[in-house]
Amino acid sequence: MRRYINKWTIWGALLVIAGIWAFTVRDWHQLWTISSAPDNIPIVAMLFLVPFFTWLGVRQAVANDRLVEQLEADPKLAKVHHRKVEPWRPGWARELHVWPYLVRIEFLATVIVTVILFVWSITLNAPLEEPANPNLTMNPSKAPWYFLGLQEMLVYFDPWIAGVVMPSIIMVGLMVFPYVDSNPLGNGYYTLKQRRFALLMFGWGFLMWILLIVIGTFIRGPGWIWFWTGQTWDHNAVVFDKNIDLHDWVATSRLGKAIGLGFLATNSVAKFLFGFIVVSVFFVVGALFFHWLMTVDFKRIRLPRAFSLREFHQALFPKKELEQKLLARTSLLQYLTFQFFAVSVLLALPVKLLLRLTLTIKYVWVIPWLNINF
Amino acid sequence: MADAPGAGESLIKKEPDLPAYDPIVSNSTSGWMLVSALLLTLSIAWALYDEAFGQRPWKGMQREFVARYTRYLNSIKANSGKTEAEIIESPEYQQLKADEDAARAEVKDEMAQIDVEVARAQRKLDAVTDTFQNQRGRLTVINYNVETSQGSAKDRYRRQAEQKRQEQVTVELPSDDGKSVEKQRLNYAQLEKLYDDLREQKATGLGRKAELLKKPSELAKKKDDYLKNNLIGLGPAAIEGLKTKMGAYDYSILGHQLSVNAYNIVDRCEVCHAGIREPLNIKASDMAPDGPGKEPDSLARAFVSHPNREVLRIHNPEKFGCSSCHWGNGRATTSEMKGHGRHRFWLWPMFEKENTEAGCQQCHSRDRVTQGSEVLNLGRDLFSERGCMGCHRYEGFDRETDSLAGTRQQIGQLEDQIRANEKQIREDEGASGTDEEVKQLLAHAQGLRVTNSLLAARIDQMNLQAKYLMQDQKKVGPNLKDVRVKLRKEWVPVWLHDPWAFRPETKMPRFWRFANPLEGRANMQDKDAEDQIQAIAAYLWQEGFDSKLPSQAQGNAGHGKELFESRGCLACHSIGEGDNKIGGHFAANLQRVGEKANFDYIVRWIHNPRDRVAPYCPKEKRDLTADDYAKKGLPFVFDTELHSRCPNDGAELQVQNMTVMPNFRLSESDARDIATYLFSLSSPPSYQAANFMDDPKLKDKGRALIKQYGCAGCHEIKGFEDEQRIGKELTVEGATPIERLDFALQTQHAEEGEDPLKLRPDEKEHKPWYNHKGFFERKIEEPSLYDEGKEKDPKDKLKMPEPYLTPEWRNALTTFLLGSVGAEGSNVPSSLFYTPQDQRRQDIQNGWWVVKKYNCMGCHQIQVGQRSVVQDLPFYQTPEGKDLLPPRLSSEGARVDPAWLLRFLHDPSLSGEKTPAQQQQINALAGPSPSPQASPQASGSPPAATADGQIRLHPQPGLDRNGVRPYLNFRMPTFNFSPNELQMLVRFFMAMSGQQDPYIKEPMKPLTAEERLVARQMFTSGTPCLKCHITGDPAHDAKAIAPNFLLASERLKPDWTFRWLLDPSQISPGTAMPSGLFRKEGDRWVVNLAQPPQSAVNYHDDHAQLLVRYMFLLNPDEQRALLATGPATTALPTAATTQHHASAKRKKVRSHHRRSPVRAVLGRQAAETFKTQLGEIK
């Protein structure tokens, strides 16, 4: 399997996917209207820049990891000064100065960025949109591109949660993470192996955010209705979306009725308790999931060979030594803090997104007395 | 990287002498650096260029303008001299010059004589002046000494002064021929006299000279004016000035920016459109890129001057800016797209050229007619005439219906209050209590009674107002309560199915849900269209009046045709089909009326269209029947004058048909003849039987459908009298946000410029029409468009039917809608809106609504330059035909007395006092037993039964009679205006002519016997007035083509009459009244005859004024006397016969003007006769 994954097959696969996607596009004019809007230019650029820089970083990280492996295998070599991204070779200067070797690259980058900004500002003017009219708001009425993720979140959560709580948690989380990080490795250079879990979590969160922005830009049309790319944004389009709370969904489902959960639809205390239980279970399960992610050795995951608890445990939860060590260095406070942020943002967001999009679930936990819903 | 060298080895080794390739140190970034630096430099250069030129494209335009304009100026500079020379060579100019020269030559000798005299006086004066002034100076000094000295010195000085006065001085006066000198010795008194006399001589000479030069200088001015008016553009000097201006052109924005602080307007349109206000009339071809006269490009078209200077003069751009009228984005200068506001989010995109006048409507939304906005005026006409306002409310249109609803509501409220008061009175009076309380309550009850009487008076007032409003309330379509008596039963469904198939271009819109014959739109038709038509037809038929009309015999079609073509029917109606069609489009085409209608009904309709079968009581909400009247013991009589109230409850009734069609006061036989003619134009085909129309089961469905389609907007239909309009209010439709205009499934077509209707097939490129203009145009062209492809319940489908529109009409209506934006949607503050504060302009604004409502302009010219419909009819293209057109009313207000005009408009036959003959005629028509209740203005009375049981039409007052101009075949019809509208019309005409309000008639100074004689002579000599003017003598009147003088005193205004006598052609070009009857002599006008009557020569006041006074004081006796002796009837050859010989008359009139000797002699004879008569009277 592995030997078929090379750059040709990857490019080929990307081309096939693009072809299939292009085949589904019915309205190129619409797609062009969206993509060419001056305020959408950063997002279109992001579509290409994010994968490119991700790829660039991963490539560097892979190279570094190999170097680390090499150096670790040879203690003598490890003691030699070496450039962080490549082993030292004879004839090379042992140390490089910031000036000129770094500064000239930075200067070059500055010049190139300046040229880009110049050209951008000359060719693209700020767009003129509808005059503000409280009686007739624009449709779709979209936030600036960097807020589109936030706006998209409003679809999935109670406005208070999506607009206030979640953003606060995200910001506080970003501030807190350096302090919950107990890993001394991987500072100042690209690496995958040494910061596997941290990168996974960051990449997850970052890509999720990008995804929300892309959905907000390309997918959401008039009435904030889901239009696949290449579908005409019809102002007269109608969808029937009846969002129901989880307890109502359970209470009215055939199974729910059969096992006598109908009271969930009427009894507000029961609703509250039901939601509380579901959320609690979610947090416990989520925490366990993250714990597993933290420690698992992906390479050793395999199908269980026998039907026993031990075999299941060995097959699905193989532990990795480095991660175990890191975990051991982590204090309980650090661990719990991380778990809280991870479950309530990184996991809750996609789970709720899927619940909403597939099962039209509105809220999971309704607290009628406080008017706060989760 | 991956292939790191063997590790241990390299550690021990010394560094080699030649360092290996180091990826960081050895790599040079200079290449990258160079490229980036170059790019950066380039982008900075680009930014600078963009700043200086990219964002300032107007600079290039300004330079281009200056270049092209200077070239144009150079090109015309050479021409300007030439054109001046050409004008000087033109015969007109030469004629003027010759006139001037002749006038100068005429006075030349006299002038020379005066010059000699003046020179002579001057020479003598020169000789005397010095001496005289010396003497006078000395005398003054002595006199001063007298005044200031005391005692004996005073006397001494006095003696000295006396000596001085007596002192003889010598003057050397030159003789008259200047050759010899005469010495004279004169004392002071003699000297002073001589001096004064000489000065007087000189002044008199100079004064006479000025007087003599007056005529030549007037002619010289006329000549120069002619040159000035005919010189296209400017003279060479002015052109040179413009060139200098171009040389120092201000290449900036600020120099060409219009800022109106008061209205927050900043317009930079003239930054690019630099030629807009140039004094020259710049055409696109003048500014062509390849030089003047070549093919213009788009830039050349942008540099032209404003096409309508008159509008620009009234709306000075310094005060109004540009974008206030044209819209667009007045501040943008970077591109045409931005400047013109062609952005989907800009609220005020510039109006397309063909819709420019939408900008007028923005501020002039309360006008019915806005001068100079022909497209917009047409749009307004169509909106009301074609029945748009039947379904759509628009502020100002159909005001009667709106105010009637308000008045009725108020009456209801007042009545409720009265009832409540009455209840309170009963309670008060029935209450018991202490004496004091009872007293108080009784007083209260008394107070309420008084209040009630006041309220009752208010109700009376309101009832009167309601009556007037009902009288003025009109519907666009005919009264459908009459279908049974009017129409052929089988024809109704045929018409409903597709009215245009029967009568193309009719006002009745095509209901696309019944039939959509357009290509590719048949599927828009309802599946049950036939059932719907049947149901509607059945309802109308079963709810129609079932009444018996007088049956009519066939008349004379030939005579009917003559009447139809000459009485004025064609001002509103058209006849003929296709290219043969003539007449107006205000009312229906009558070509095929015979195929659908009942002959008896049409005769009755022509006879008096307001005649209603039964009156409608808005209070009881039903049509009254003869039984209602019989129960109260009243005859079944109703009219607008005396019998407009319900016999049951006294409420005001709707007593006439809601039609604008007036009463032509035709006799019954004339009406029959016209109907016969109309019915002779077509032969009724056989239609499919329509028995379903009697099926009572269909009625309910029909009722629901009529309600749904809003038929009652244009028609009177039983059961729908209080129906509201079903359409959207359109007063501010143009300001509807584009998102709220329902493009439905056409949105994408509109945005991409695909036009399913192909409105402009010749236009090549696809132009997006997702804008107001695109929406309105298509909505009115094909309303079904926005339902296409929609899945809807029948009741939710679009209701708007398809109106008949030509492309011109469509554009006019679109313009009207685009400009209908109200204060909110306008891009100027509402303080700029046209809301006249002065009474005069308000009167004009109000009056137009009435003038347009009744299509006065079908017959009359009300504005200068406007053409009436009848003017363009083929029968009136000859000179004699033109004499027979209805009068021009452009100065009506100045001409007539408002009180008289009111009377005339009320009853154009002026038959208030009927002649015995007329009364006899009326009696004869009315039969032996005319209804005693019939009022003089009966309209809508039912047929009266004659003794032989035959039902006859009610007689017409003022039958077959024109009040002012009986000689015209055109008939000024009786419109049955309410006092409200009469007042509005009179005020309108007064205001249009700038007349003072109120008009107070000055009493005429009575004529002295001498004056009377002079006036008589003038009246009969030269051009005898009575030859053309009506006198009341039938034999004479047969040839007359002007009104009776006896009307003058109450009809005309003296000032106007005076001006009319002086130069009628100036007031009404082409009139038969001769000009030049008087000539100016000093300050006064004297009769312009070669040999004026001696008495006139002796009369030293103004002749024209005298004639006016004579006319205004004329009485029938005097007129008869004139007639008996005047030459008009006796001396003239009577070759001219009654009809169509006006030209002959006119020629004769003109020949009088040329003062044929025969005429002059006759005039003298008449004068002699009068003299004798006068002697006898004395």
Side-chain angles (χ1 to χ4, degrees), chain A residues 155-156 220 226 352-361:
Chain A
V155 175
Y156 309 107
R220 295 296 184 177
W226 190 283
K352 188 70 195 290
L353 190 147
L354 286 174
L355 281 178
R356 166 73 179 69
L357 291 180
T358 56
L359 301 175
T360 65
I361 299 296

Side-chain angles (χ1 to χ4, degrees), chain B residues 936-992:
Chain B
Q937 277 298 303
S939 86
S941 309
T946 54
D948 54 356
Q950 192 72 10
I951 309 172
R952 304 293 297 270
L953 293 177
H954 203 274
Q956 300 269 33
L959 180 80
D960 222 2
R961 184 184 136 100
N962 259 349
V964 179
R965 297 168 204 274
Y967 51 90
L968 288 186
N969 287 328
F970 276 102
R971 176 97 359 116
M972 170 73 185
T974 309
F975 281 93
N976 211 354
F977 298 116
S978 78
N980 290 350
E981 283 187 336
L982 283 172
Q983 200 61 252
M984 267 197 269
L985 275 175
V986 171
R987 297 189 72 98
F988 169 77
F989 281 115
M990 295 302 140
M992 280 292 271

